Amino acid sequence: MTWWMTDETHDPVRTSWVDGANGHADFPIQNLPFGVFSPPAGDARIGVAIGDSILDLSALASQLPASEALRHRRLNALFALPTEQRRLLRHAISGMLSDRAIADRVIPHLHAAADCTLHLPARIGDYTDFYVGIHHANNIGRQFRPDNPLLPNYKYVPIGYHGRASSIQPSGVPVRRPLGQRKPPEADAPIFGPSTRLDYELELGVWIGSGNALGTPIPIGQAADHVAGFCLLNDWSARDVQAWEYQPLGPFLAKNFQSTISPWVVTAEAMAPFRLAQPPRPQGDPDPLLYLQDEADRQHGALALTLEVSILTAAMRVRGDAPVRLSQGPASNMYWTVQQIVAHHASNGCNLNPGDLLGTGTISAADRSGYGSLMELSAGGKEPVALPGGESRTFVADGDEIILRASASAAGFTSIGFGECRAMILPAQ
Amino acid sequence: MTWWMTDETHDPVRTSWVDGANGHADFPIQNLPFGVFSPPAGDARIGVAIGDSILDLSALASQLPASEALRHRRLNALFALPTEQRRLLRHAISGMLSDRAIADRVIPHLHAAADCTLHLPARIGDYTDFYVGIHHANNIGRQFRPDNPLLPNYKYVPIGYHGRASSIQPSGVPVRRPLGQRKPPEADAPIFGPSTRLDYELELGVWIGSGNALGTPIPIGQAADHVAGFCLLNDWSARDVQAWEYQPLGPFLAKNFQSTISPWVVTAEAMAPFRLAQPPRPQGDPDPLLYLQDEADRQHGALALTLEVSILTAAMRVRGDAPVRLSQGPASNMYWTVQQIVAHHASNGCNLNPGDLLGTGTISAADRSGYGSLMELSAGGKEPVALPGGESRTFVADGDEIILRASASAAGFTSIGFGECRAMILPAQ
């Protein structure tokens, strides 16, 4: 088995006996994402999402492979397992949830997801954010450096930087509008106060599985084996703080006040049917350097994922309106694949650990229907985005909720989704 | 008690009954730094350095305050304690090591430091590196941006960025020369291979003690209470990789392959006598914004520390030579104090945790006698630094050992030191 090959757990005719699982937009039996949840009045434990329910894997650990790792309160030990052991676990869970003969034994360990609290799935040792969305890099680059939007290194180096692990929170935890330094163009000196240009960024998150020893790079051909799964990531960004602070060492307080992730880890195994050949590089672009080239990555390295952003303002909430979509686009707008960013990250010997999180950077489409931030949609705040009911936004307002979603689909397979990555903005303190 | 006030543990007439402690350059009884060590054939545990010995605090935990925190294998729980509890512990240890009447009971728990292995003192959740050495910022800025060495934000924003926690290693662990992309000026495209411009950076490390909740800034007046102690930090840097990769998001693979710290945590309490008024800002520089202003910080915020770098090349080692000093300078060349970088870091609500590590950035003096990197000493590789025996260096060579040291001194007090921060360069794989 290799990372892009499918098996009977992906079979679209496989169904589950769990109510509401079959046809579920996010969590049919073909998905089986891992997470950490607390049932009502219970402690945090490892579970798997199935339809609108959560199966308590800790309670069933003795009947499953990798039982020791299932008894932890974080997924790090599960992530650290060899790919083959995670695959055996997936098969066992898929069998358990499809075999009606054993349903009576399993049902006591199912919880209604709506009654449970979801936590960060892993202890995040280090968090790294990349910049692989080439349309985003172009759009933002044009605003910060009109003459020079895409720097000369972009098509050679999968640009990345270290972010803050401590302030990553699961979907649902509100975000306090940060204070910070900003320098209005007309002012002689900066002022300190609440950010007035608070933005979201639509990103894919990548959970590292098994790590590498310090000093030992991960060859591109082995990079996929170090990926445990995926999530959504909202890299909240204070654009006014960012513009003033980011030179010469990169973004810092503009982004480290909070990041929001979707709590379910959609496994690399679940994503096997949703692998695509990399789109060809535009005419005239250089080939990747050899340490970033791999035939399997070229054939199967991209992801058949559609990403979208919605907003629910306070006024919409009062009216009882549904969230409104701001943009939608494909993850194939990544200039570098997940395998390439993993191999690049470890190419100097930097050690990755189970539970490390990588962000792809904002994934925008070439046109505004798929722009992944308000900075792009509002052209840097110059063109307000119209919303229903007469509202408009250049940046996010207090009380706004931003909701990221993702779904994977491929001909002949059952679509799966990531669940929500959602948070509301609270006023500055 | 406040952070700059001294007490009887700092009294220069206090002596220890431990052989070799009195007059020890680094670890007299006035220092008492914490660390994590393994005695021969023993497990990792918490200890304190005294002269050339280590006192096993885990074995004596039941006789000391904070006994629960002393039984861990890392200092995080000790760092998390309120300052007042850490102070009580210091008093108890100082008493134990000065009171000859109880020496017989304590001696069984002393180990010769030379026989022990020293480990990372804490689990580092997040590592942040600042850029407070204004002479370094000027020197490096001039090489990367000749027209624009110090950017307009420098005198308002304590510039910082997130670094890699996983690859921080204690003194003594060798450093593998990293591979990476670099673009020679004459080449059309970058090449991938061993760095040819590997450098050290002389920095002070700051260990975070008690943390702050997400969304709750740390006021500058309380910042000192969140600092547990200090160490030396060598922020190894591949200058060729850095020059090519660092725009627009900052250094990444140029620095995350390894960083080296001294293993002893010189506590904030031990540093109380070595506090100075901040040097006045140069004429014409702006005042710090209000959230970075504090009278106690102005009066006592700087550190009376002398920092130095030495080198021992392979040829010198063969000849049996001692290391040669490359530079020496005062820590007062920091444009921002430790309290200011802590308050700035949390000013947007970013949560700091016990065991987080902050680096100050390279601390250079105004002239080359105190330049904290080879990039500065060799003027970007153009002026080789002469060494004894006819050798010279523009950057570090395989087999070189770089040794950082620091000592604190003040009139009327016993000087204390940080011990070594040392590592050897291994050839690229």
Side-chain angles (χ1 to χ4, degrees), chain A residues 107-165:
Chain A
I107 283 173
H109 306 297
L110 275 179
H111 299 268
D115 298 338
C116 298
T117 305
L118 282 153
H119 306 285
L120 278 188
R123 188 180 63 73
I124 302 169
D126 278 288
Y127 159 52
T128 306
D129 203 17
F130 284 85
Y131 198 51
V132 308
I134 189 166
H135 303 304
H136 172 76
N138 254 316
N139 292 338
I140 293 286
R142 203 172 295 120
Q143 294 183 29
F144 281 79
R145 296 173 303 274
D147 306 334
N148 206 13
L150 214 57
L151 294 168
N153 56 14
Y154 189 86
K155 293 179 175 176
Y156 292 99
V157 180
I159 296 289
Y161 68 109
H162 291 293
R164 183 82 191 172

Side-chain angles (χ1 to χ4, degrees), chain A residues 125-126 153 156-157 160 162 164-166 181 192 214-215 244 247 252-253 256-257 291 344 348 351 356 429, chain B residues 125-126 153 156-157 160 162 164-166 179 181 192 214-215 244 247 252-253 256-257 291 344 348 351 356 429:
Chain A
D126 278 288
N153 56 14
Y156 292 99
V157 180
H162 291 293
R164 183 82 191 172
S166 72
Q181 287 192 32
F192 182 79
L214 183 64
W244 173 236
Q247 284 191 316
F252 179 47
L253 299 188
N256 70 3
F257 55 92
Y291 78 102
H344 180 66
N348 66 345
N351 54 328
D356 284 351
Q429 251 171 346
Chain B
D126 278 290
N153 56 13
Y156 292 98
V157 180
H162 292 292
R164 183 82 192 171
S166 72
L179 307 180
Q181 287 192 31
F192 182 80
L214 183 65
W244 173 235
Q247 283 191 317
F252 180 49
L253 298 189
N256 69 3
F257 56 93
Y291 78 102
H344 180 67
N348 66 345
N351 54 328
D356 285 351
Q429 248 169 349

Side-chain angles (χ1 to χ4, degrees), chain B residues 30-379:
Chain B
Q30 287 78 10
N31 192 346
L32 304 177
F34 294 113
V36 173
F37 76 104
S38 300
D43 288 338
R45 64 196 69 180
I46 292 175
V48 70
I50 177 74
D52 294 318
S53 300
I54 303 175
L55 180 65
D56 181 344
L57 295 182
S58 71
L60 294 159
S62 61
Q63 303 167 51
L64 289 166
S67 50
E68 180 47 36
L70 296 176
R71 294 195 177 96
H72 292 230
R73 295 165 62 110
R74 297 285 185 208
L75 292 171
N76 298 71
L78 192 61
F79 287 170
L81 295 175
T83 315
E84 198 45 48
Q85 287 193 45
R86 284 211 315 274
R87 203 184 306 272
L88 288 174
L89 177 61
R90 173 178 169 84
H91 278 255
I93 297 168
S94 181
M96 197 176 252
L97 291 170
S98 58
D99 182 358
R100 272 149 229 277
I102 59 167
D104 286 352
R105 280 201 286 128
V106 178
I107 283 173
H109 306 296
L110 276 179
H111 299 267
D115 298 338
C116 298
T117 305
L118 281 153
H119 306 285
L120 278 188
R123 187 180 62 73
I124 302 169
D126 278 290
Y127 159 53
T128 306
D129 203 18
F130 284 86
Y131 198 52
V132 307
I134 190 168
H135 303 304
H136 172 76
N138 254 315
N139 291 338
I140 293 287
R142 202 171 296 120
Q143 293 182 29
F144 281 79
R145 296 172 303 278
D147 306 334
N148 206 13
L150 214 57
L151 294 168
N153 56 13
Y154 189 86
K155 292 177 176 177
Y156 292 98
V157 180
I159 296 289
Y161 69 107
H162 292 292
R164 183 82 192 171
S166 72
S167 55
I168 298 175
Q169 298 292 318
S171 181
V173 176
V175 176
R176 179 74 61 187
R177 178 180 296 271
L179 307 180
Q181 287 192 31
R182 64 179 194 274
K183 187 173 167 299
E186 68 284 3
D188 290 335
I191 54 177
F192 182 80
S195 169
T196 61
R197 289 162 72 91
L198 184 57
D199 200 358
Y200 61 82
E201 288 195 338
L202 169 63
E203 302 195 13
L204 186 65
V206 179
W207 288 103
I208 295 297
S210 58
N212 61 306
L214 183 65
T216 305
I218 297 174
I220 176 81
Q222 295 171 21
D225 290 333
H226 293 267
V227 174
F230 303 92
C231 65
L232 287 158
L233 169 63
N234 185 341
D235 179 26
W236 299 101
S237 299
R239 300 298 182 191
D240 40 5
V241 177
Q242 185 177 358
W244 173 235
E245 77 166 2
Y246 92 104
Q247 283 191 317
L249 299 181
F252 180 49
L253 298 189
K255 287 172 177 275
N256 69 3
F257 56 93
Q258 194 157 328
S259 308
T260 305
I261 60 173
S262 57
W264 291 108
V265 179
V266 176
T267 63
E269 292 75 49
M271 287 296 292
F274 310 109
R275 293 292 189 167
L276 296 172
Q278 276 188 253
R281 289 192 157 203
Q283 188 83 28
D285 281 11
D287 283 336
L289 296 189
L290 281 177
Y291 78 102
L292 298 174
Q293 282 192 32
D294 176 67
E295 188 53 29
D297 184 46
R298 223 176 339 255
Q299 294 302 322
H300 310 283
L303 295 163
L305 264 180
T306 300
L307 308 167
E308 66 170 68
V309 186
S310 304
I311 188 170
L312 183 70
T313 69
M316 292 162 68
R317 205 158 38 244
V318 168
R319 292 197 301 267
D321 291 357
V324 169
R325 182 189 295 162
L326 291 170
S327 72
Q328 185 184 52
S332 57
N333 285 311
M334 290 167 60
Y335 193 77
W336 301 98
T337 66
V338 168
Q339 292 66 240
Q340 286 173 320
I341 65 177
V342 169
H344 180 67
H345 201 323
S347 65
N348 66 345
C350 179
N351 54 328
L352 308 184
N353 285 312
D356 285 351
L357 182 67
L358 314 185
T360 54
T362 309
I363 302 177
S364 289
D367 67 79
R368 59 175 294 117
S369 70
Y371 285 177
S373 67
L374 278 170
M375 186 74 169
E376 294 165 88
L377 284 171
S378 74

Side-chain angles (χ1 to χ4, degrees), chain A residues 394-416:
Chain A
T394 47
F395 294 97
V396 291
D398 295 346
D400 286 353
E401 277 177 278
I402 297 293
I403 304 135
L404 313 184
R405 301 193 63 91
S407 65
S409 48
F413 288 95
T414 305
S415 295
I416 65 173

